Amino acid sequence: MSKSKNVAKSQLRPGLTLVATPIGNASDITIRALDALRDADVLVCEDTRMARRLMDMHGITLEGRPLIAYHDHNAAATMPKLLHFLHKGVTMVYLSDAGTPLVADPGYKLAQEVIREGINLSSTPGACAAVMALTLSGLPSDRFMFAGFPPPKREARRTFLSGFSAVPGTIIFYESPRRLAGCLTDMGEVFGNREAAVARELTKMFEEVRRGSLTDLAAHYAEAGAPKGEIVLLVAPPAPAPPATEEVIDTALRTALATMSVKDAAREVAATLNLPRKQVYERALAVREE
Ligand code: SAM
């Protein structure tokens, strides 16, 4: 195995470096990622043809370095070989076909094993369809959850979706264009008619983000037919519960005061209704007087 003649610019350390690659626009690769591809002793990828195409595009040659395919189907056989290399102290990169490895892509078990074996794990971060879609969706970005691909069959999909209905943040799904309209319909039924966004062909020529309610989006794609390209689907969190009315607070306090002291009743009702304890305590005194 002959090492690249280039001067090492990537700051690669012995161990495994996860390399993010473009999700459509070939220019979306970082300088550090390209340096890592030039410098690594061993290159590991989901698909060797995709990796070679990316390297060709940027004039990076293998120069005798191994290029090894690692994916879900050969993980058991290939992992020991990769760990053997890593224990010898090589610099190794791993890239999936597009975007960030491990995000709906292989690499998790490899990364987990590398951590378990005390080998250094690093990354050259970059494109990820889920994060880009979130930033363009107009939906809350302070809290979000990546939910991956919903199951293709309707019943399983509804069960899967119902597990996310209480998530207090934007939920991000990857979905195939063929299943988009059906999935939006199921989401409307499971989540209620929340705001949503469909991000399509990100970073590519026909990039598009369509925003609207789940019902409107489902109707649009049912009529327009399956769109072309790759899709990220995002759903807004549930609307916050409306603030409790005086009547609701008083009813809760009466029930609590039947068995508790004013202090305990106020504490419990304040916690349940998410209200300031002092305000509820004052109200509890008035209710007790009544
Ligand atoms: N690891 C990738 C990442 O970081 O986003 C995801 C790989 S996953 C196998 C492929 C799915 O990601 C596609 O089916 C689609 O849902 C989403 N995706 C990838 N590229 C996309 C793009 N350019 N526009 C919209 N969605 C994209």
Side-chain angles (χ1 to χ4, degrees):
M1 165 176 33
S2 81
K3 195 166 160 80
S4 165
K5 291 182 192 69
N6 296 294
V7 177
K9 285 185 281 187
S10 57
Q11 302 165 317
L12 275 186
R13 282 203 273 156
L16 179 68
T17 299
L18 306 166
V19 174
T21 56
I23 55 168
N25 186 322
S27 301
D28 289 333
I29 185 151
T30 67
I31 294 166
R32 240 183 107 219
L34 293 176
D35 288 341
L37 295 179
R38 273 189 205 101
D39 294 344
D41 298 317
V42 179
L43 296 104
V44 184
C45 57
E46 185 181 359
D47 181 314
T48 52
R49 281 164 308 177
M50 295 290 274
R52 272 181 188 278
R53 199 180 307 159
L54 180 72
M55 290 168 72
D56 284 350
M57 214 178 280
H58 295 281
I60 299 170
T61 49
L62 277 174
E63 295 179 45
R65 297 175 297 163
L67 177 65
I68 303 167
Y70 172 87
H71 41 73
D72 290 341
H73 306 294
N74 74 355
T78 310
M79 177 106 68
K81 191 166 144 189
L82 302 185
L83 291 173
H84 179 73
F85 270 127
L86 287 165
H87 277 301
K88 287 207 288 195
V90 301
T91 53
M92 180 184 285
V93 288
Y94 178 67
L95 51 150
S96 52
D97 288 351
T100 300
L102 281 78
V103 178
D105 262 342
Y108 164 64
K109 284 189 192 137
L110 178 60
Q112 199 183 34
E113 211 51 44
V114 161
I115 294 166
R116 196 174 288 151
E117 302 251 343
I119 298 162
N120 180 58
L121 178 68
S122 190
S123 154
T124 63
C128 175
V131 174
M132 178 169 174
L134 176 71
T135 60
L136 301 182
S137 66
L139 300 176
S141 58
D142 54 339
R143 275 197 217 177
F144 59 90
M145 176 164 202
F146 176 65
F149 285 93
K153 298 232 169 83
R154 196 153 196 225
E155 204 172 313
R157 181 162 66 205
R158 285 175 178 228
T159 308
F160 171 84
L161 292 175
S162 60
F164 295 97
S165 50
V167 169
T170 295
I171 320 162
I172 308 173
F173 301 89
Y174 285 166
E175 186 51 294
S176 101
R178 276 181 301 121
R179 292 195 274 268
L180 178 62
C183 189
L184 285 162
T185 303
D186 285 351
M187 285 176 165
E189 282 167 29
V190 173
F191 296 141
N193 194 20
R194 296 190 198 169
E195 285 304 298
V198 174
R200 192 173 72 83
E201 293 290 82
L202 295 172
T203 76
K204 302 183 205 175
M205 173 108 69
F206 297 106
E207 177 178 303
E208 170 193 44
V209 182
R210 189 170 283 273
R211 306 171 185 89
S213 69
L214 283 168
T215 311
D216 289 350
L217 288 170
H220 170 80
Y221 288 107
E223 196 185 322
K228 288 202 168 69
E230 295 186 286
I231 302 281
V232 184
L233 215 166
L234 307 97
V235 182
T245 61
E246 210 163 86
E247 196 185 331
V248 168
I249 301 170
D250 286 2
T251 307
L253 281 171
R254 272 188 214 104
T255 309
L257 284 167
T259 56
M260 290 180 204
S261 67
V262 170
K263 198 172 152 199
D264 289 347
R267 187 188 310 127
E268 182 173 294
V269 171
T272 310
L273 300 179
N274 198 19
L275 292 167
R277 202 187 299 175
K278 188 161 176 281
Q279 176 199 330
V280 179
Y281 181 78
E282 277 160 18
R283 194 63 214 146
L285 290 172
V287 168
R288 192 188 54 178
E289 288 308 304
E290 283 168 17

